């Protein structure tokens, strides 16, 4: 039996749902029941009724799914798929910042470990960061771990004092202002749509800044014939498939998140066959991180 057919059959037998992030390969997205940005995936996982959730993404996404829906069996198909930005911060870093700024709230980007979420007050995603920061009563906000998303939010919410941590996404941080300048010169009629994980000086060139879902929506509703996309190649591929009449360019060549591309159909098949280990977290991590994640979902 072909692997796609086998996944479909196993999915029904195990009462499973397959959720995928937009950066996953198109063949993985094609076997998924739903595809979304990290905020949508967290909500889908929280409300999933199936017994098994196969989360095709990186580790923090699968951990968030487990924390928000702890009675389910959650699999991360490519077990080595981490997020290098999430690995840039430890709980101790947050604890030290809290000691330095005792009046500040701690907002933690979901691209972080469960242990870091557990020592934070509330989580956010790129699509909810501004709303979350605005919702806080504290004037001082420690924002971890993404310095670029943090400084983007600081500009949008000037009445807050945002204390940044020097983390970054290696894929987005690689884009320099010179790349944006080159892209603009090569395609002067194109609009630039960029993810807030890009550097501040790159975002200055953007006509639209938003999460992966935001960029997709903006591109699909745009009347422009040419668009330059400042995020991972997965979004470029989806748009090229969805909008064949438009010219879709990448802000920089080979903008690939290697971890997101680790998921293969065979990994999904192994999870559904019960041959892979489900996501497990300690009771302490689950409880601490749950509060921060649930606060995010409820804002
Ligand atoms: P989104 O929240 O836009 O899905 O982004 C997740 C991510 O990891 C971007 O690098
Ligand atoms: Fe992490 Fe960047 Fe990959 Fe997103 S694109 S998962 S932030 S490394």
């Amino acid at each position: 039996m072909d692997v796609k057919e086998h996944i479909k059959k196993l999915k029904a037998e195990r009462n499973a749902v397959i959720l995928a992030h937009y950066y996953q390969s198109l063949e993985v997205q094609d076997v998924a029941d739903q595809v979304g940005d990290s905020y949508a995936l967290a909500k889908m996982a929280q409300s999933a009724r199936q017994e098994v959730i196969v989360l095709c993404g990186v580790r923090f996404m699968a951990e968030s799914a487990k924390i928000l829906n702890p009675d389910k069996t959650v699999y991360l198909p490519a077990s080595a798929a981490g997020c290098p930005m999430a690995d840039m911060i430890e709980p101790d870093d947050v604890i030290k910042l809290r000691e330095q700024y005792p009046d500040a709230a701690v907002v933690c980007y979901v691209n972080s470990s469960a242990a870091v979420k557990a020592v934070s007050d509330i989580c956010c995603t790129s699509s909810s960061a501004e709303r979350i920061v605005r919702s806080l009563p504290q004037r001082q906000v420690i924002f971890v771990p993404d310095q670029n998303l943090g400084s983007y939010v600081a500009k949008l919410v000037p009445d807050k004092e945002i204390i940044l941590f020097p983390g970054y996404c290696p894929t987005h941080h690689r884009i320099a202002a010179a790349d944006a300048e080159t892209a603009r010169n090569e395609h002067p009629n194109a609009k630039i749509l960029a993810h807030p994980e890009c550097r501040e000086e790159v975002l200055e060139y953007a006509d639209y800044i938003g999460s992966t879902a935001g960029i997709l929506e903006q591109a699909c509703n745009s009347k422009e014939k040419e668009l330059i996309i400042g995020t991972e190649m997965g979004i470029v591929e989806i748009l090229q498939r969805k909008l064949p009449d438009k010219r879709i360019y990448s802000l920089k060549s080979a903008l690939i998140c290697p971890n997101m591309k680790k998921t293969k159909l065979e990994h999904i098949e192994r999870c559904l066959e019960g041959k892979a280990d489900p996501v497990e977290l300690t009771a302490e991590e689950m409880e601490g991180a749950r509060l921060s994640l649930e606060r995010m979902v409820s804002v």
Side-chain angles (χ1 to χ4, degrees):
M1 191 187 294
D2 141 86
V3 62
K4 284 187 181 171
E5 283 304 311
H6 196 208
I7 288 173
K8 209 169 161 188
K9 181 169 169 280
L10 290 168
K11 203 173 61 156
E13 282 170 14
R14 286 208 63 192
N15 187 18
V17 63
I18 302 178
L19 306 177
H21 189 267
Y22 290 123
Y23 293 165
Q24 294 289 297
S25 67
L26 289 180
E27 70 168 5
V28 167
Q29 292 188 37
D30 287 342
V31 298
D33 296 287
Q34 281 176 288
V35 183
D37 69 356
S38 53
Y39 184 71
L41 290 175
K43 293 202 70 144
M44 289 168 199
Q46 188 184 36
S47 59
R49 298 228 175 112
Q50 293 83 347
E51 283 310 308
V52 173
I53 301 171
V54 180
L55 207 141
C56 306
V58 290
R59 181 155 295 277
F60 75 81
M61 295 176 176
E63 285 184 355
S64 299
K66 179 70 186 171
I67 294 160
L68 287 166
N69 207 341
D71 296 337
K72 308 296 175 185
T73 302
V74 178
Y75 289 105
L76 173 69
S79 59
C83 166
M85 167 153 59
D87 296 338
M88 287 178 190
I89 185 161
E90 299 281 337
D92 261 3
D93 297 312
V94 178
I95 291 163
K96 280 189 193 129
L97 281 166
R98 275 196 190 278
E99 283 165 6
Q100 231 179 315
Y101 301 97
D103 297 331
V106 179
V107 177
C108 167
Y109 191 24
V110 277
N111 299 39
S112 53
S113 65
V116 166
K117 290 184 178 80
V119 291
S120 302
D121 295 310
I122 187 164
C123 291
C124 75
T125 63
S126 55
S127 59
S128 61
E130 179 190 353
R131 198 164 4 117
I132 300 281
V133 168
R134 273 190 203 284
S135 75
L136 297 167
Q138 293 89 338
R139 197 188 65 81
Q140 271 190 331
V141 176
I142 298 167
F143 192 97
V144 299
D146 188 8
Q147 57 179 299
N148 293 327
L149 179 62
S151 61
Y152 169 65
V153 172
K155 276 194 167 165
L156 296 176
V157 193
D159 50 314
K160 302 276 187 194
E161 183 194 343
I162 310 282
I163 295 120
L164 299 172
F165 182 82
Y168 59 88
C169 160
T171 306
H172 291 84
H173 204 67
R174 216 159 58 74
I175 311 172
D179 298 313
E181 181 71 31
T182 306
R184 173 132 287 174
N185 290 338
E186 282 176 3
H187 312 290
N189 298 321
K191 292 270 185 245
I192 299 182
L193 282 52
H195 196 281
E197 284 177 13
C198 294
R199 292 166 188 263
E200 192 175 351
E201 61 267 32
V202 171
L203 295 179
E204 276 168 21
Y205 284 83
D207 299 289
Y208 172 82
I209 300 166
S211 74
T212 50
I215 292 175
L216 285 172
E217 194 188 340
Q218 185 72 17
C220 291
N221 293 333
S222 162
K223 292 194 174 66
E224 311 300 328
K225 284 270 164 260
E226 294 179 79
L227 298 168
I228 299 168
I229 305 300
T231 191
E232 212 264 355
M233 280 303 291
I235 299 294
V236 175
E237 286 167 1
I238 296 173
L239 287 173
Q240 284 171 338
R241 189 199 252 188
K242 265 185 178 237
L243 307 171
D245 296 339
K246 290 194 200 290
R247 291 208 194 125
I248 313 286
Y249 312 107
S250 180
L251 190 44
K252 188 179 177 75
S253 61
L255 269 186
I256 289 168
C257 171
N259 285 285
M260 281 283 185
K261 302 301 190 229
K262 282 184 178 154
T263 320
K264 305 284 174 243
L265 294 181
E266 289 68 24
H267 296 135
I268 301 172
E269 190 180 32
R270 272 179 61 80
C271 296
L272 293 170
E273 284 171 339
K275 292 181 182 164
D277 293 329
V279 172
E280 296 290 354
L281 292 162
T282 65
E284 203 184 9
E285 284 171 335
M286 292 272 277
E287 195 45 34
R290 188 177 58 78
L291 284 176
S292 300
L293 276 167
E294 283 181 353
R295 283 189 196 123
M296 169 186 87
V297 176
S298 70
V299 166

